[in-house]
Amino acid sequence: MSLLVQKYGGTSVGSVERIEAVADRVSRFHGEGHDLVVVVSAMSGETNRLIALAKDIQDQPDPRELDVLVSTGEQVTIALLSMALKKRGIDARSYTGGQVRVLTDSAFNKARIQHIDVDRMQADLQARRVVVVAGFQGMDGQGNITTLGRGGSDTTGVALAAALKADECQIYTDVDGVYTTDPRMVPKATRLEKITFEEMLEMASQGSKVLQIRSVEFAGKYKVPLRVLSSFDEGPGTLITLDEEINSMEQPLVSGIAYNRDEAKITLVGVPDMPGVASKVLGPIGAANIEVDVIVQNVAANNTNDLTFTVHRNDLARAKAVLEANLDSIGAKQVLTADNIAKVSLVGVGMRSHAGVAATMFETLAKDNINIQMITTSEIKISVIIDERYLELAVRGLHTAFGLDKKSTSVAE
Ligand code: ADP
Ligand code: ASP
Ligand code: MG
């Protein structure tokens, strides 16, 4: 029998009834003889509610205290699930991240897991107990509570699976697998049987939140067999797999489309055209710990350029203030900002060996009269920045153009 780490997301534990349903599923696997470590998220909406409470007190909540606060959401669900399992006659024990020694660095709100002590969990598993662990949280070297960033329970699940050398890490969520694009935006999206780690990493980093990016990094690094499944229906879900396991003959050009509404655009107008200027602009932005995504430079008149880049929307005001404070030393004329943009990305390892993806992408957008503001590419990805108003139109059009639409729609839907 195998050792399984199962992670249940917020919607899957969103009410007492749903927690009971998770307990039914866990007890079924336990009854079949599997050893189980179950990671849970907070009930859906709870983490947002806690963050909003903090923001009622401080605009920028103290990061350490914010982690003490938001980690409570998961403490509720581990206890409730363990009670539901005990009611079913299963010996279960709940643990916070700190209790099972998920040790992290001290970067509050976005901590990285450094080490996990598996002894306590292994002793429970030996005794046929189900181990229930709070996702999203850990503890630093000084005993402070830390959290792993939004969506971080996925990473807890994968990290525990790696540390325990589990046979599979199963991510149970409110969709029955990874789709060609967010099925909530495109009803014609298709579930993928398999996707490579590399593509999943790119999908996650381009905004597809079905898996937290760090969980995919972890799974790739430690070769954790990872599967995304529905907590409401039965089905095989989607296996995240190593590259060579997928037959390249069957590989479509584009495997998936991701989108992101979280970015904002900053244009620095009239930047002098001389060496060192880009670093004068982006240096202070980096020093303020603001991540930059897409960068484009246009040649303007009179030996000046316009430099445009994108940052997370939450960082826009800060980035603007940093640039305005440095405007004279950069020698630029003006800072313009826009937050009504969105990024659409095509992802696929098939792009490596085929030209023409970009051309088809641009043609498709042009047909719908969608203006491309910025473009960026990597070996297996092409991203464009467009006006947010056209996001759905763009994603749907591209989904059809690259042959990703579901072949037939079943009557039941
Ligand atoms: P959980 O609370 O279980 O962690 P999330 O809301 O974090 O669930 O992630 C699941 C959601 O991810 C789905 O409801 C879906 O809307 C969204 N999603 C975005 N892109 C995709 C995709 N390519 N395939 C499947 N789901 C996706
Ligand atoms: N509860 C946390 C969040 O909402 C972690 C998670 O759900 O994965 O971000
Ligand atoms: Mg999630």
Side-chain angles (χ1 to χ4, degrees):
M1 282 300 135
S2 46
L3 167 59
L4 302 176
V5 174
Q6 300 189 330
K7 176 261 171 175
Y8 292 89
T11 320
S12 315
V13 295
S15 65
V16 165
E17 292 72 31
R18 290 197 168 162
I19 290 176
E20 298 265 21
V22 169
D24 282 338
R25 187 184 291 266
V26 171
S27 67
R28 184 156 49 76
F29 277 95
H30 190 257
E32 288 166 8
H34 299 289
D35 289 329
L36 286 143
V37 173
V38 182
V39 174
V40 285
S41 292
M43 292 168 127
S44 55
E46 179 62 5
T47 310
N48 287 345
R49 187 185 74 85
L50 294 167
I51 293 172
L53 285 179
K55 288 199 168 165
D56 281 346
I57 293 186
Q58 275 188 309
D59 247 6
Q60 301 272 342
D62 178 85
R64 181 188 183 280
E65 302 315 322
L66 188 62
D67 278 353
V68 173
L69 178 70
V70 294
S71 61
T72 60
E74 274 71 12
Q75 195 167 332
V76 171
T77 46
I78 51 169
L80 292 176
L81 178 60
S82 301
M83 289 172 196
L85 287 167
K86 284 177 183 164
K87 188 167 84 176
R88 286 162 178 74
I90 293 175
D91 193 6
R93 277 202 189 157
S94 65
Y95 295 108
T96 64
Q99 283 176 315
V100 276
R101 308 199 55 73
V102 175
L103 300 175
T104 71
D105 61 18
S106 302
F108 296 114
N109 313 162
K110 50 175 184 230
R112 282 184 177 269
I113 297 176
Q114 293 177 324
H115 182 74
I116 297 176
D117 274 354
V118 291
D119 296 358
R120 192 163 182 179
M121 286 183 280
Q122 266 164 351
D124 281 336
L125 292 172
Q126 282 286 312
R128 284 289 291 153
R129 285 189 198 111
V130 172
V131 179
V132 182
V133 180
F136 176 55
Q137 54 178 262
M139 185 173 272
D140 74 1
Q142 286 75 49
N144 296 302
I145 294 173
T146 56
T147 64
L148 310 177
R150 297 306 305 268
S153 299
D154 296 335
T155 302
T156 306
V158 175
L160 289 181
L164 290 159
K165 301 193 171 47
D167 294 285
E168 189 163 275
C169 179
Q170 303 178 332
I171 306 284
Y172 287 92
T173 182
D174 55 6
V175 282
D176 64 351
V178 178
Y179 277 68
T180 44
T181 192
D182 188 345
R184 292 188 203 286
M185 180 187 274
V186 182
K188 286 183 190 160
T190 341
R191 183 177 58 80
L192 299 164
E193 286 291 321
K194 288 179 176 183
I195 182 169
T196 65
F197 277 111
E198 210 183 357
E199 288 170 315
M200 193 62 237
L201 198 59
E202 201 69 86
M203 289 281 280
S205 67
Q206 298 309 322
S208 157
K209 68 167 186 166
V210 61
L211 286 173
Q212 196 203 32
I213 176 166
R214 280 195 194 159
S215 71
V216 187
E217 277 170 11
F218 231 100
K221 186 166 168 192
Y222 295 99
K223 304 208 171 6
V224 177
L226 182 61
R227 194 181 287 277
V228 176
L229 312 110
S230 165
S231 56
F232 306 123
D233 306 308
E234 298 303 317
T238 300
L239 184 68
I240 323 296
T241 177
L242 291 169
D243 204 353
E244 47 275 17
E245 289 168 23
I246 294 187
N247 179 351
S248 62
M249 295 294 285
E250 293 167 9
Q251 198 59 45
L253 230 48
V254 171
S255 303
I257 305 177
Y259 63 85
N260 187 355
R261 299 176 194 267
D262 293 339
E263 290 187 31
K265 187 174 80 166
I266 302 185
T267 303
L268 209 57
V269 181
V271 182
D273 189 17
M274 56 185 184
V277 167
S279 86
K280 265 196 196 162
V281 175
L282 298 172
I285 296 285
N289 213 358
I290 298 170
E291 260 177 61
V292 171
D293 186 23
V294 186
I295 308 175
V296 165
Q297 181 176 295
N298 318 345
V299 181
N302 307 327
N303 290 332
T304 63
N305 298 319
D306 290 348
L307 190 72
T308 305
F309 59 92
T310 64
V311 296
H312 195 285
R313 271 187 206 180
N314 293 343
D315 291 328
L316 179 61
R318 232 158 34 92
K320 185 170 188 240
V322 167
L323 289 180
E324 278 171 346
N326 287 283
L327 212 54
D328 286 344
S329 70
I330 298 166
K333 292 201 185 74
Q334 201 188 353
V335 184
L336 301 175
T337 62
D339 65 1
N340 57 343
I341 57 153
K343 185 166 70 168
V344 182
S345 307
L346 304 182
V347 174
V349 291
M351 276 183 216
R352 258 192 203 128
S353 45
H354 290 86
V357 176
T360 308
M361 181 184 206
F362 302 157
E363 253 168 49
T364 308
L365 296 174
K367 249 189 254 154
D368 280 328
N369 240 337
I370 301 172
N371 188 40
I372 300 171
Q373 301 179 15
M374 302 167 89
I375 303 168
T376 172
T377 65
S378 77
E379 222 189 347
I380 64 159
K381 171 211 79 184
I382 304 176
S383 303
V384 295
I385 301 283
I386 58 171
D387 187 321
E388 190 180 359
R389 261 182 303 175
Y390 304 119
L391 177 62
E392 291 202 18
L393 184 64
V395 175
R396 291 192 178 144
L398 292 166
H399 200 267
T400 305
F402 285 95
L404 300 174
D405 288 353
K406 211 184 282 183
K407 298 292 174 272
S408 64
T409 320
S410 82
V411 191
E413 280 175 338

